[in-house]
Amino acid sequence: MSSNPGEKREPIEALQPQPGLLRARLLIGVAVMLALFYLPSTYPKIVLGMVLLWTVSLLVQWPLGRQPLRPLTNAAMQLIPDCLFAAGIVLLTGGIYSPFALLFGLIVLGSVTVSLPLFSISLSIVACSAYLVSGYLGMTAPLNMQDTLQLLLQTSAIMLVGGVMGALAARQKHLQQSTRAVQVRHRSLQKLYAHVLDGMREGILILDEQMRVRDFNSAALELLQLPHNIEGVRLYEVLEESNSLQGYLRKPLGTVFQCESQSGGHVLLLRATRMQGDTDATWMVTVVDISHVRDLERLLAEQEKMAALGQMASMLAHEIRNPLQTMAQAHELIQQADEARRNEIAGIVQDELQRLNRLVSDMLNYARPMQPHPQLHAAAEIVSLAVHQADPEGKHQVAWHAGLEEMYIDADHFRLVLDNLLSNALRASPEKGSVRVELEPWEQGWRLQVSDHGGGIDPAIRQRLFEPFATARSDGLGLGLATVWHVCRVNNWQVEARELPEGTCFEVRSEVNERHGEDSAG
């Protein structure tokens, strides 16, 4: 994971600095000082000195206000001395009739930053007490009814402000507690997310819209053999060889795509899934090591092949014996025959030799090991060579079309598939123009279709068409389509046969290709 799940974090209740309260107090002090400068002859200079002292004390308290103290301690250390300063100013500027009595209300307003309702009420009581003491001591004559009403009005206003601030503080405290609960839940989910991803054996890459890595787990680094931190790195730097995946992500044709890639001798299955509603998490790419699956598939194929070879050996011995007997009889007859008879016997011998060659070739093609080595090849050239080899004199007039410029394939394996399908099609429908080969783009890969007018598949072998020795002809072992199926499975191609009104169409598909090109035809 890009985040460390074991990282030590401060608790939610960690002590936070409160520079906002200090700034508000400093502004009040500056405002009072400007008011005194505006009326310099009204109040004694000692008041100005007190305000200057208050402002200097605020500047001295500035580092203290930025320290992570408990909110109650921090506010008490700032606001209670302010009440004393305000009381001194009120005392020196007219007592209960001082215009600076408003300072007590402003000081109580600052208590809302603490989010403690009881503190706001307590501070309003302290402010009222300070106002009453300073107002009474600042009087030069005994209190009358008007003075008493003035005291009650001011103290009621201060208590009202304290009550309102208490209510706001209670609301703010409730919001803070809700926020804390959400933060705790969010952090627990983050830890769970981190533990789940780090515990997975499958690699995970989270990509944004620009295909930059936004998140990952340790399994992805191990499978792709990447450095410790790849956050912010583009996909093409992480998966240099996976051109098909990068091409899909640039021009997606769906919400899910998968392909295989080689890394350090391992076969990796890459699967991209589009995620909705988040530009920072647009794609999730999973990486799974399927090397053991491919090894098991190859082992199973080899075992199936060995079992088939045992059966093939007995069948081949039987099939070879008949041509050998025919050729032995021809050898005896050719010495006593005339010229015309000799030519006829020579033709029979040649046919039997060709039959033997086909039998041996089919057996060798089916028995040889398969390990794909894909490279870029010109698609039209491969199809053209296959058609020319199957019909060198052009007697069958095979129609073909290649709608790809290049293909990322093992050319030998592709030719083995195409040659067998062409051979079957030409034998099934030898009429001119009855066989057609089409190669065209299909999703992110390609599709090969070989169709004929041979009348369809024999119902007796339809269910086991791609099994060894499944054939309706008397001149073959039934290994051609079995070889096609084997080659397709090794290369992760899909093969199937479809019935057409006039014959059969064999279709081979691949979901991956290096890149598509322009059309070419023949």
Side-chain angles (χ1 to χ4, degrees):
M1 281 290 298
S2 56
S3 59
N4 184 5
E7 180 182 358
K8 186 177 181 180
R9 293 188 176 93
E10 293 294 331
I12 296 296
E13 296 79 7
L15 306 180
Q16 299 294 332
Q18 291 182 306
L21 177 60
L22 192 59
R23 284 195 293 266
R25 294 171 57 234
L26 183 60
L27 289 175
I28 294 173
V30 172
V32 174
M33 186 170 58
L34 291 176
L36 290 173
F37 273 115
Y38 181 72
L39 300 171
S41 60
T42 306
Y43 303 106
K45 293 184 178 179
I46 188 172
V47 177
L48 179 61
M50 183 174 292
V51 176
L52 289 174
L53 179 62
W54 184 18
T55 305
V56 171
S57 69
L58 291 178
L59 295 176
V60 173
Q61 289 179 358
W62 183 268
L64 179 63
R66 300 188 66 85
Q67 295 300 316
L69 301 175
R70 291 188 177 278
L72 180 61
T73 304
N74 198 334
M77 292 177 61
Q78 296 184 57
L79 295 178
I80 292 178
D82 287 352
C83 288
L84 299 179
F85 274 108
I89 294 174
V90 169
L91 177 65
L92 297 174
T93 56
I96 61 174
Y97 292 105
S98 172
F100 295 101
L102 179 64
L103 290 175
F104 290 107
L106 296 177
I107 293 171
V108 175
L109 282 175
S111 66
V112 74
T113 61
V114 187
S115 302
L116 293 175
L118 184 61
F119 177 74
S120 298
I121 301 299
S122 301
L123 184 63
S124 65
I125 294 175
V126 172
C128 287
S129 301
Y131 170 71
L132 289 174
V133 171
S134 61
Y136 180 77
L137 294 179
M139 294 292 296
T140 58
L143 289 175
N144 54 32
M145 182 63 66
Q146 184 179 359
D147 296 336
T148 303
L149 291 175
Q150 180 72 15
L151 283 174
L152 290 175
L153 179 64
Q154 293 285 9
T155 53
S156 298
I158 294 174
M159 290 300 298
L160 177 62
V161 172
V164 173
M165 292 303 102
L168 293 177
R171 177 61 178 170
Q172 186 173 359
K173 182 179 180 181
H174 174 71
L175 293 176
Q176 288 179 347
Q177 290 175 343
S178 300
T179 303
R180 256 186 228 113
V182 172
Q183 290 176 342
V184 170
R185 178 63 176 167
H186 177 66
R187 289 181 180 175
S188 65
L189 290 176
Q190 278 185 324
K191 290 182 179 180
L192 177 62
Y193 169 75
H195 287 310
V196 169
L197 283 190
D198 282 334
M200 295 175 64
R201 296 182 60 185
E202 296 81 7
I204 300 292
L205 296 175
I206 304 298
L207 310 177
D208 60 13
E209 288 183 330
Q210 287 73 39
M211 288 191 291
R212 289 191 296 261
V213 178
R214 288 305 181 189
D215 208 350
F216 54 91
N217 64 352
S218 56
L221 301 180
E222 181 180 353
L223 291 172
L224 298 173
Q225 299 181 353
L226 298 175
H228 179 66
N229 189 7
I230 58 173
E231 186 172 0
V233 178
R234 292 189 179 273
L235 179 67
Y236 71 85
E237 300 177 23
V238 176
L239 300 174
E240 297 179 356
E241 298 182 358
S242 182
N243 296 327
S244 57
L245 176 61
Q246 295 179 41
Y248 167 78
L249 294 178
R250 292 189 185 96
K251 295 182 180 180
L253 298 178
T255 58
V256 179
F257 172 80
Q258 68 180 28
C259 64
E260 294 185 10
S261 178
Q262 300 285 336
S263 177
H266 294 273
V267 181
L268 304 179
L269 178 64
L270 307 178
R271 182 181 178 89
T273 305
R274 189 175 186 86
M275 306 172 70
Q276 303 295 332
D278 192 347
T279 56
D280 288 334
T282 305
W283 293 99
M284 179 178 68
V285 179
T286 58
V287 186
V288 182
D289 187 354
I290 59 171
S291 301
H292 64 290
V293 176
R294 292 292 177 256
D295 292 339
L296 290 175
E297 288 179 350
R298 283 194 291 268
L299 180 60
L300 179 60
E302 291 298 325
Q303 291 177 346
E304 292 177 352
K305 190 185 302 180
M306 293 303 296
L309 285 176
Q311 183 180 0
M312 186 188 308
S314 60
M315 294 183 63
L316 191 60
H318 175 74
E319 293 294 332
I320 289 177
R321 182 176 58 185
N322 292 334
L324 288 178
Q325 290 177 351
T326 301
M327 286 187 287
Q329 293 175 359
H331 181 266
E332 296 176 359
L333 294 174
I334 200 169
Q335 297 177 1
Q336 304 172 1
D338 54 17
E339 186 66 25
R341 183 59 174 166
R342 287 181 181 179
N343 293 334
E344 181 182 354
I345 294 174
I348 295 174
V349 171
Q350 184 177 4
D351 290 341
E352 295 298 328
L353 288 174
Q354 290 178 352
R355 182 185 176 192
L356 286 175
N357 183 61
R358 286 196 305 270
L359 293 174
V360 174
S361 298
D362 288 347
M363 185 186 70
L364 292 177
N365 287 334
Y366 183 78
R368 69 180 181 179
M370 294 288 179
Q371 183 63 38
H373 298 287
Q375 293 181 351
L376 277 178
H377 296 278
E381 181 179 346
I382 293 178
V383 177
S384 176
L385 290 175
V387 171
H388 179 73
Q389 180 175 329
D391 187 18
E393 299 179 359
K395 295 180 180 180
H396 297 279
Q397 297 180 1
V398 177
W400 66 274
H401 170 82
L404 291 174
E405 182 179 348
E406 292 180 325
M407 300 174 65
Y408 190 65
I409 56 171
D410 186 309
D412 292 336
H413 291 183
F414 185 82
R415 277 294 307 273
L416 189 56
V417 170
L418 181 54
D419 290 346
N420 276 284
L421 295 179
L422 262 175
S423 176
N424 283 352
L426 291 175
R427 290 184 185 179
S429 55
E431 297 85 3
K432 292 182 180 180
S434 61
V435 175
R436 180 170 181 81
V437 179
E438 293 187 8
L439 179 62
E440 57 187 0
W442 181 77
E443 294 188 357
Q444 295 295 316
W446 49 264
R447 177 172 62 183
L448 171 68
Q449 292 180 315
V450 180
S451 55
D452 60 54
H453 294 180
I457 303 171
D458 189 338
I461 62 170
R462 183 178 296 147
Q463 299 301 322
R464 51 190 187 92
L465 186 62
F466 295 102
E467 295 180 6
F469 318 118
T471 179
R473 298 198 311 265
S474 60
D475 59 344
L477 288 175
L479 293 177
L481 292 180
T483 301
V484 168
W485 181 85
H486 177 61
V487 174
C488 289
R489 188 175 69 168
V490 169
N491 287 270
N492 295 315
W493 303 337
Q494 289 80 44
V495 58
E496 64 180 19
R498 297 198 315 268
E499 295 282 353
L500 300 177
E502 66 279 3
T504 306
C505 176
F506 285 89
E507 182 174 289
V508 180
R509 298 186 302 271
S510 173
E511 297 180 353
V512 179
N513 194 26
E514 184 70 10
R515 63 175 179 266
H516 294 162
E518 301 298 330
D519 287 355
S520 60

